[in-house]
């Protein structure tokens, strides 16, 4: 095909790509100029626009390769080269921007958002740990009350899991790999967190219920195993991942209570509008909690469950992880706060 026919047939493609390219470049300038600001809607292209951009980029790459192989004029080849290079930069910066926003959320936005909603967090913390502590203490005086919370077979399974003679702790498993259990812990823990959060729509009562129940379960299992001499086994198991897992469950409960509170106290908004507003914050808190649960599942699957690691080592590492979580939630991102 001669160059004139090539241009006539394909000019519309690269002209359309050039138009979209200019729009994307303008969007990226606004995006990078607004990093750190909350409203970035105008800097984010629609999904359909992105798909069209990528499709045209591939076509222009193909046309550029054809023009080069057919030795068309340097003016045409350079023009197509320029479009391809600019398109590549747009796609690369978009991926870089997404990663940058994720990192910013993890390092700064999430802990700052939690601190802004500290009241709900501390109420949720009390609802979880106070029943756990009270039930633990009560079991030291009346061990039989554990059966008011758990049935005989469930208690027996916990005793089997945390028997000091087990090679693997925390889960009755035979041929299961640590990686398989990592996946199981993610599914199980996130399920608990989502139930605790979503039930908050029932005027916060659902979240309060799940926090209380999970606290009683923790205190009950710890208290019973303490009575039969297995306390070192379970405490060495829990301390490693507990800083991430238990805190994430509490954050999920706090987010759920925030939803319920918005329905009880909508202020000048309608209840539906108040729920929509509070859900913006609550869902971000749950996202952060889920990330913490993934970390917890990794530690639980590959570290906590190992019976070959000495309890003293697990206590030391666990204490360090608790310190990391506390400092992260208390201090991370504070330099961004006004």
């Amino acid at each position: 095909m001669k160059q004139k026919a090539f241009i006539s047939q394909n000019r519309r493609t690269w002209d359309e790509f050039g138009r979209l390219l200019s729009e994307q470049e303008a969007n990226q300038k606004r995006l990078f100029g607004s990093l750190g600001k909350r409203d970035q809607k105008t800097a984010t292209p629609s999904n359909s626009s992105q798909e069209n951009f990528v499709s045209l980029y591939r076509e222009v790459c193909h046309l550029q390769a054809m023009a080069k192989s057919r030795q068309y004029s340097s003016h045409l080849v350079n023009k197509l080269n320029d479009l391809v290079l600019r398109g590549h930069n747009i796609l690369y910066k978009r991926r870089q921007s997404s990663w940058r926003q994720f990192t910013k959320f993890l390092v700064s936005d999430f802990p700052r958002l939690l601190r802004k909603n500290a009241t709900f967090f501390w109420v949720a913390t009390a609802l979880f740990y106070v029943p756990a502590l009270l039930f633990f203490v009560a079991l030291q005086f009346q061990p039989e009350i554990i059966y008011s919370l758990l049935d005989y077979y469930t208690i027996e399974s916990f005793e089997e899991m945390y028997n000091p003679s087990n090679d693997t702790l925390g889960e009755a498993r035979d041929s299961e790999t640590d990686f398989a259990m990592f996946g199981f812990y993610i599914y199980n823990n996130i399920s608990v967190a989502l139930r605790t959060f979503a039930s908050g729509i029932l005027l916060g009562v659902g979240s309060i219920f799940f926090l209380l129940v999970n606290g009683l379960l923790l205190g009950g299992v710890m208290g019973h195993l303490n009575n039969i001499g297995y306390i070192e086994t379970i405490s060495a198991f829990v301390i490693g991942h507990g800083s991430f897992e238990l805190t994430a469950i509490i954050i999920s409960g706090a987010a759920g209570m925030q939803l319920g509170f918005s329905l009880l106290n909508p202020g000048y908004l309608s209840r539906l509008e108040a729920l929509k507003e509070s859900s913006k914050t609550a869902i971000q808190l749950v996202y952060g909690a889920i990330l913490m649960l993934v970390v917890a599942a990794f530690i639980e699957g590959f570290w906590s469950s190992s019976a070959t690691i000495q309890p003293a080592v697990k206590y030391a590492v666990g204490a360090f992880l608790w310190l990391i979580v506390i400092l992260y939630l208390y201090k991370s991102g504070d330099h961004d706060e006004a």
Side-chain angles (χ1 to χ4, degrees):
M1 182 184 294
K2 292 185 178 181
Q3 177 173 314
K4 185 176 181 180
F6 178 83
I7 294 174
S8 176
Q9 182 176 331
N10 298 294
R11 179 191 293 274
R12 183 175 297 178
T13 297
W14 65 65
D15 283 349
E16 174 65 13
F17 180 69
R19 184 186 67 79
L20 283 179
L21 189 58
S22 297
E23 291 179 2
Q24 295 284 334
E25 288 171 336
N27 282 338
Q28 281 207 343
K29 287 181 180 179
R30 289 197 295 269
L31 175 61
F32 282 95
S34 62
L35 281 176
K37 297 180 181 179
R38 299 188 64 176
D39 188 7
Q40 298 180 358
K41 292 180 181 178
T42 58
T44 305
S46 66
N47 289 335
S48 60
S49 176
Q50 291 183 37
E51 291 172 2
N52 192 28
F53 178 84
V54 173
S55 176
L56 287 173
Y57 171 72
R58 290 171 179 165
E59 289 186 44
V60 171
C61 286
H62 177 64
L63 294 175
Q64 183 263 354
M66 289 175 60
K68 188 175 181 180
S69 65
R70 294 174 181 177
Q71 298 183 339
Y72 290 153
S73 69
S74 59
H75 173 75
L76 177 60
V77 172
N78 289 338
K79 179 178 181 178
L80 294 175
N81 282 342
D82 179 64
L83 290 173
V84 169
L85 180 60
R86 289 165 63 197
H88 171 78
N89 289 338
I90 286 291
L91 293 173
Y92 173 77
K93 286 182 179 179
R94 185 182 297 163
R95 291 193 294 268
Q96 187 182 53
S97 175
S98 297
W99 175 251
R100 192 172 181 178
Q101 290 179 56
F102 171 77
T103 303
K104 182 175 180 293
F105 170 77
L106 185 63
V107 173
S108 178
D109 292 348
F110 170 59
R112 286 196 297 117
L113 191 62
L114 183 63
R115 291 197 294 272
K116 287 180 180 178
N117 296 273
T119 300
F120 291 105
F121 174 75
W122 288 118
V123 171
T125 299
L127 289 170
F128 183 84
Y129 282 116
V130 171
L133 179 61
L134 292 177
F135 200 41
F136 179 91
V137 172
L139 283 169
Q140 308 315 301
F141 296 96
Q142 291 185 294
E144 67 279 2
I145 64 173
I146 186 63
Y147 295 100
S148 65
L149 179 68
L150 300 170
D151 60 67
Y152 173 81
Y153 296 103
T154 302
I155 294 170
E156 187 177 46
S157 68
F158 277 116
E159 292 176 358
E160 181 181 353
M161 288 179 195
Y162 298 104
N163 190 317
S165 63
N166 284 346
D167 293 330
T168 304
L169 306 174
E171 185 67 29
R173 53 183 175 177
D174 297 321
S175 59
E176 298 286 354
T177 65
D178 288 340
F179 189 80
M181 293 312 300
F182 167 58
F184 169 79
Y185 290 136
I186 288 179
Y187 172 78
N188 182 69
N189 295 342
I190 290 179
S191 296
V192 172
L194 291 180
R195 283 197 301 271
T196 305
F197 164 64
S199 59
I201 198 70
L202 303 174
L203 303 180
V205 174
S207 295
I208 293 172
F209 171 78
F210 280 112
L211 287 168
L212 291 171
V213 168
N214 282 288
L216 287 171
L217 181 60
L218 176 66
V221 173
M222 295 285 288
H224 176 71
L225 294 180
N226 180 63
N227 289 338
I228 64 174
Y230 291 177
I231 188 62
E232 182 176 83
T233 307
I234 188 173
S235 57
F237 172 79
V238 171
I239 192 172
H241 60 274
S243 54
F244 290 92
E245 181 180 320
L246 301 181
T247 305
I249 298 299
I250 290 170
I251 292 172
S252 299
M257 287 194 298
Q258 186 175 32
L259 291 182
F261 183 78
S262 69
L263 293 173
L264 290 171
N265 185 29
Y268 294 105
L269 301 174
S270 69
R271 282 185 166 78
L272 181 58
E273 290 173 337
L275 180 63
K276 288 180 179 179
E277 284 298 313
S278 66
S279 66
K280 294 177 183 178
T281 297
I283 289 174
Q284 290 186 69
L285 291 176
V286 173
Y287 285 157
I290 288 174
L291 293 173
M292 293 181 70
L293 289 173
V294 172
V295 175
F298 181 84
I299 298 171
E300 189 172 2
F302 295 96
W303 170 267
S304 301
S305 59
S306 176
T308 61
I309 302 172
Q310 293 299 313
V313 176
K314 288 187 175 183
Y315 289 140
V317 172
F320 175 74
L321 292 174
W322 271 103
L323 179 63
I324 290 295
V325 169
I326 292 171
L327 290 176
Y328 165 64
L329 296 178
Y330 180 66
K331 297 294 291 182
S332 187
D334 63 353
H335 60 281
D336 295 329
E337 294 178 305

